[in-house]
Amino acid sequence: MKIATIADRAVLVIDGTVVDIAAASGDRFGPDPLSVYEQWDAFAEWASGVGPGTEPLDEAALGCPIPNPRQVFAIGLNYRSHAEESGMAVPEVPATFTKFPASLGGPFDDIEVTEPMVDWEVELVAVVGRRADRVAEADGWDHIAGLTVGQDISDRALQFAAGAQFSLGKSRRGYGPMGPWVVTTDEVPDRDDLALGCSVDGETVQDARTSDLIFSVPQLVAELSAVLPLLPGDVIFTGTPAGVGVTRNPARFLAPGQVLETWVEGIGTIRNTCR
């Protein structure tokens, strides 16, 4: 199942067509994308019987699939390869920060690059479907509705200013593009081992697999929900592998005019032009 957003309305993407969820369900679900996840079990049962629509998909019209989550969690240093390239020890607990919800963007939105040290970070993003409060790791996947592609765009100068303000440095407008849709885990090849990467102007700069995660998705659900409840529609940016610009010699950063493409196996590709 693929759940997307067009004109702030939740839609299903089926065989190259779009089905407006609110219209097709008689307003039982939607149009607010968040309401789909708040009724996840009932929605998933209903959606399993929905067939293709009559309106063809226009990918350019797709917006952020989770435009207004209540909580956004992000995990730093969660790939062994990234910890190594950063010269830092593998963490014993998830290094957690937030991207403020207003920083999220759509799969084909432009990225505003007005600062000199703007970096890329491909990430697998997990979307919560069932409230998770003190959940065991073995039950972690049961609380995830689906997965999407994300970029944790980072203003490195702002990130490391004033004693390292990660959340602010990663939350400029549009610095969290996601999409093109949320895919339920039954449709991906292996939810614990997916290829992911990104390219700048066609040059691959990150290429890895999620099996290199230090803290897997179910581990993150367990660790985070031990501290506070995870709510339906919350998103978890699960971390980035090696290949970011700031660790290169010399360092490389995004510039206006460049095109950043980001992909995760079994989910899709997002494409963002730097302006």
Side-chain angles (χ1 to χ4, degrees), residues 3-5 8 32-37 40 63-72 101-107 125-128 145-148 176 178-182 231-237:
I3 309 159
T5 300
D8 297 324
D32 180 0
L34 192 60
S35 70
V36 167
Y37 300 95
W40 179 251
C64 180
I66 313 288
N68 296 297
R70 284 167 289 193
Q71 301 182 111
V72 179
S103 71
L104 301 180
V125 178
V127 180
V128 177
L147 304 168
T148 191
M178 297 194 304
W181 34 62
V182 175
L231 307 176
D234 285 357
V235 298
I236 305 171
F237 281 73

Side-chain angles (χ1 to χ4, degrees), residues 128-244:
V128 177
R130 298 184 182 98
R131 178 185 170 96
D133 193 1
R134 296 184 175 93
V135 169
E137 179 184 337
D139 301 320
W141 274 119
D142 294 339
H143 294 266
I144 297 299
L147 304 168
T148 191
V149 182
Q151 266 286 345
D152 177 20
I153 303 297
S154 306
D155 177 348
R156 298 300 190 191
L158 184 57
Q159 176 186 348
F160 295 115
Q165 45 190 10
F166 272 56
S167 295
L168 196 61
K170 291 166 173 284
S171 292
R172 288 192 182 276
R173 295 167 185 83
Y175 274 27
M178 297 194 304
W181 34 62
V182 175
V183 177
T184 49
T185 58
D186 60 305
E187 291 199 7
V188 298
D190 182 343
R191 63 189 184 182
D192 293 302
D193 184 21
L194 298 170
L196 77 167
C198 69
S199 66
V200 177
D201 286 346
E203 177 192 352
T204 297
V205 290
Q206 289 184 280
D207 184 13
R209 302 194 70 87
T210 60
S211 53
D212 188 44
L213 281 166
I214 297 167
F215 300 99
S216 66
V217 171
Q219 284 179 288
L220 291 175
V221 171
E223 291 276 353
L224 295 172
S225 72
V227 178
L228 78 171
L230 310 185
L231 307 176
D234 285 357
V235 298
I236 305 171
F237 281 73
T238 60
T240 198
V244 299

